[in-house]
Amino acid sequence: MGTTITLTINGEVVTGTAGDTILEVCEKNGIDVPTLCHFPGLSERGACRMCLVEVTGARGYLPACTTAAADGMEVATESEELARLRRSNLELLFAERNHLCMFCEMSGDCELQSLAYRYGMDHVRYGFAWPGYEVDTSREHFFFDQNRCILCRRCVRACEEKAGHAVLGVRDRGPATLVCADVDYPFDQSTCVACGTCLQVCPTGALVDKISAYVGRREELDRVQTTCPLCSVGCAVEVSSRDGIPVRTEGIWDAGPTGGVLCVAGRFEPYYDSRPRITTPLVKRDGELRAADWEETEACMADALPQAGGLEVCTGLLSARATLETARAFGELFGERGFLLEGSGTEVGDAALDELDSADCVVVAGIDLEEDCRAVSSPVKRAANRGAQVVVLGSAGQWVDLRATARLEPTDLAGMRERLETSDRPAVLYGPGAPEGLLRTVDEVGEKVKRIGLARGANSRGIESEGIAPWRCRPLFGPVYVLLCDEDPTPDLLEAVADASFLVVQSSTANSLTERADVVLPSPAWSERTGTYVNTEGRTASLAAAVPPVGDTEPDEDVLARIGRVKLCRR
């Protein structure tokens, strides 16, 4: 606990902690101070001048976000003169670029517009610059309109300080200053990984998500906090929807394993999924899959399964995206004949991902962080940004490799050991491709090394904890049931079930495996699933459905119960 300081703000005595800024003291005491360039968790710039306050005895007006609070300080956050100054600042910001609110996607959710209303800015006394900057639409998922940028630099700081990628910067000076990617490349030619962190901190309509643009104001959307189900990291996310359709995913700051930072897959890719949905059971008749109700489907399975060998010899294969609740129902139904399609491939470690932020040496081995567990590239890059060693065995993806202070051969455990031994707070990230003997070497260095295993499969750790073993990709000849959730079948799976005597596939989308199936059952999509996951750290997380299931879709465990009733009917 720091030393308590006492201030008088707007005539009221309040307290803060030594080291706080005036803005931090105000926030702690519920005093609203207007800001634009300030954003929680980012370093302060003091650039927008909206948080100017009067401090008794000080010369001029001081920015609350960068001025240290002092014991006995007397502060005024609102006055007629402050309101006049803030209104003038807003007029200058509006005049500098093209802030045409009527045509802006962010109108109604824009922080600049809200402040203009708050300070009664009904006209602009200055001449408009009307710049004609080209809009960068090169990214698939978002666009950047410099004409609506107020140069608050939130995006620049978030890209480096939160996401770690450090792609964004500024070029030129004065009114000609522009935010740019790398050395002023279009986004798609830069080192941008499209994580979308910049979008989430932008206070205006300069950086906009394409898919949710003009869908509705924030207050018009339904929002649910849940867990990203796409990989084993399990980022904490908020999914917004309107009229039962998911429209946007955002990270939850300071929550979950990545503190609100997401990857391109978690934030954008589900919204670009063009695979046809399966919304009702399908039964193959005369070589074609035809829609059926649940009773007809159960009757079909009750007739056909015994001819194929019976449910007693049926092999079950389960996606790693299934919840723990589904895994338990699956285990009860299939027992030792039930397998996990994709095992974790790594031992769980002894540390959490947020502990990487205090490591002075981070080793990455056996995983490409631009293909798997992509959000974990952020703490690795943040480590590089603050001067910590980043050591890569083999490759961790081209952009992570660029930040590495050392790249070793994939099996150079001696080189890794040397760097771990000479560091005070080392950490090792290891994936399924880590060289044999890596963990033994880490153990020999001692307990100071933090270990974090990055697992394949979103909920593979949780499903394995239920006693369901990974599948060995062997050919299957009897009846087979496959629960894919919303994953696509792998070539190994397609080959293995080629000679199955009866194939039941439960999936949320049509794919090359459902085409082969004798019976297809609907499965909830990512945004409709509810249950429990265990992430790569071993942390338990909850999935909450953001939208109701479509058509005849039921929870996966309820469908497994239907299959169980088919089994009972045959006894």
Side-chain angles (χ1 to χ4, degrees):
M1 292 289 289
T3 304
T4 299
I5 56 175
T6 301
L7 296 78
T8 302
I9 300 180
N10 298 335
E12 293 187 13
V13 176
V14 298
T15 59
T17 304
D20 285 346
T21 64
I22 294 174
L23 182 62
E24 287 171 331
V25 174
C26 289
E27 289 176 336
K28 289 178 179 178
N29 290 278
I31 300 169
D32 181 38
V33 177
T35 60
L36 277 174
C37 65
H38 166 76
F39 193 86
L42 296 181
S43 61
E44 300 292 359
R45 288 281 304 180
C48 71
R49 319 307 283 179
M50 289 305 300
C51 68
L52 291 177
V53 295
E54 297 173 351
V55 177
T56 302
R59 183 177 178 181
Y61 300 95
L62 302 178
C65 66
T66 56
T67 302
D71 196 46
M73 186 177 270
E74 295 183 11
V75 179
T77 66
E78 296 289 348
S79 70
E80 288 189 11
E81 182 60 15
L82 286 171
R84 187 190 65 77
L85 279 172
R86 289 167 182 162
R87 191 162 53 242
S88 294
N89 280 343
L90 290 166
E91 289 181 57
L92 289 169
L93 288 171
F94 271 84
E96 194 171 61
R97 301 282 168 99
N98 306 335
H99 298 288
L100 306 173
C101 297
M102 182 180 293
F103 307 105
C104 181
E105 191 281 329
M106 286 295 286
S107 182
D109 283 333
C110 173
E111 295 179 38
L112 179 68
Q113 183 189 48
S114 295
L115 287 174
Y117 278 117
R118 175 172 171 176
Y119 287 99
M121 197 201 80
D122 53 5
H123 66 285
V124 174
R125 293 169 292 169
Y126 312 109
F128 285 87
W130 299 123
Y133 296 121
E134 187 174 349
V135 179
D136 186 344
T137 60
S138 61
R139 271 293 178 207
E140 179 182 5
H141 307 111
F142 61 89
F143 65 81
F144 180 36
D145 186 353
Q146 297 270 14
N147 299 290
R148 293 170 178 168
C149 176
I150 59 171
L151 296 174
C152 66
R153 295 170 173 78
R154 281 191 192 177
C155 57
V156 176
R157 287 173 284 153
C159 185
E160 178 175 353
E161 298 170 16
K162 285 187 177 291
H165 305 304
V167 172
L168 299 181
V170 295
R171 69 173 176 87
D172 298 331
R173 304 183 65 181
T177 303
L178 294 174
V179 172
C180 62
D182 291 332
V183 287
D184 200 21
Y185 287 130
F187 270 93
D188 67 336
Q189 297 175 32
S190 71
T191 57
C192 170
V193 298
C195 70
T197 304
C198 54
L199 276 69
Q200 201 171 324
V201 300
C202 181
T204 68
L207 282 155
V208 174
D209 173 24
K210 290 180 181 178
I211 202 80
S212 65
Y214 298 102
V215 170
R217 304 274 68 79
R218 191 169 181 81
E219 66 182 15
E220 296 169 330
L221 304 179
D222 297 316
R223 300 193 297 275
V224 171
Q225 295 194 346
T226 180
T227 300
C228 177
L230 300 187
C231 83
S232 65
V233 179
C235 297
V237 297
E238 181 177 88
V239 178
S240 298
S241 64
R242 185 164 189 177
D243 299 330
I245 300 173
V247 298
R248 183 189 304 152
T249 297
E250 295 178 302
I252 302 174
W253 302 123
D254 301 324
T258 58
V261 175
L262 307 181
C263 70
V264 61
R267 187 182 297 274
F268 297 117
E269 290 183 357
Y271 299 98
Y272 292 79
D273 189 347
S274 60
R275 296 174 296 175
R277 272 301 301 271
I278 293 172
T279 60
T280 189
L282 304 170
V283 174
K284 188 163 281 184
R285 305 283 191 197
D286 300 324
E288 290 187 12
L289 287 169
R290 302 175 189 275
D293 59 28
W294 281 108
E295 287 69 24
E296 182 183 357
T297 304
E298 288 183 27
C300 171
M301 289 191 290
D303 289 339
L305 271 170
Q307 298 174 33
L311 190 58
E312 292 75 9
V313 298
C314 182
T315 301
L317 299 174
L318 181 66
S319 164
R321 291 188 182 177
T323 64
L324 278 183
E325 291 76 7
T326 298
R328 287 170 189 145
F330 178 88
E332 290 174 4
L333 187 60
F334 290 99
E336 294 182 351
R337 290 174 288 99
F339 301 94
L340 175 60
L341 275 168
E342 184 179 42
S344 63
T346 60
E347 291 182 23
V348 69
D350 59 3
L353 287 166
D354 58 11
E355 293 182 63
L356 292 175
D357 284 325
S358 58
D360 61 351
C361 175
V362 177
V363 174
V364 186
I367 191 163
D368 183 338
L369 294 177
E370 279 145 28
E371 293 293 331
D372 302 303
C373 301
R374 286 183 264 191
V376 179
S377 69
S378 286
V380 175
K381 291 179 180 176
R382 286 199 300 267
N385 294 345
R386 67 170 188 275
Q389 285 192 79
V390 173
V391 180
V392 173
L393 269 63
S395 174
Q398 62 173 329
W399 305 132
V400 176
D401 293 349
L402 275 178
R403 302 291 183 84
T405 50
R407 287 189 63 192
L408 308 179
E409 291 298 317
T411 57
D412 186 1
L413 297 181
M416 178 192 74
R417 177 174 184 152
E418 178 183 350
R419 285 163 175 79
L420 295 177
E421 288 178 333
T422 55
S423 301
D424 294 326
R425 302 177 304 281
V428 176
L429 284 166
Y430 52 94
E436 186 176 353
L438 180 137
L439 290 182
R440 185 168 60 249
T441 303
V442 170
D443 288 342
E444 289 170 357
V445 175
E447 294 183 353
K448 71 174 182 177
V449 186
K450 300 293 184 183
R451 306 187 306 169
I452 303 173
L454 298 178
R456 285 191 295 248
N459 190 30
S460 56
R461 292 217 190 281
I463 294 173
E464 287 174 351
S465 72
E466 294 296 319
I468 300 173
W471 178 51
R472 303 297 182 189
C473 297
R474 293 170 179 158
L476 302 168
F477 300 104
V480 177
Y481 162 82
V482 184
L483 174 49
L484 279 176
C485 295
D486 43 18
E487 289 193 291
D488 278 329
T490 63
D492 285 343
L493 175 59
L494 292 170
E495 183 178 347
V497 301
D499 295 318
S501 58
F502 189 75
L503 180 60
V504 180
V505 179
Q506 190 176 345
S507 173
S508 63
T509 59
N511 52 57
S512 52
L513 188 63
T514 59
E515 291 173 1
R516 298 185 186 184
D518 298 289
V519 171
V520 178
L521 308 173
S523 176
W526 65 275
S527 56
E528 302 163 0
R529 209 172 302 145
T530 297
T532 309
Y533 269 21
V534 176
N535 84 337
T536 194
E537 306 163 294
R539 182 192 310 210
T540 300
S542 296
L543 270 69
V547 295
V550 299
D552 295 328
T553 305
E554 297 179 351
D556 291 325
E557 52 270 29
D558 290 357
V559 176
L560 285 164
R562 287 183 177 275
I563 297 174
R565 287 198 290 273
V566 170
K567 179 180 179 180
L568 292 173
C569 288
R570 299 301 306 176
R571 286 178 174 172

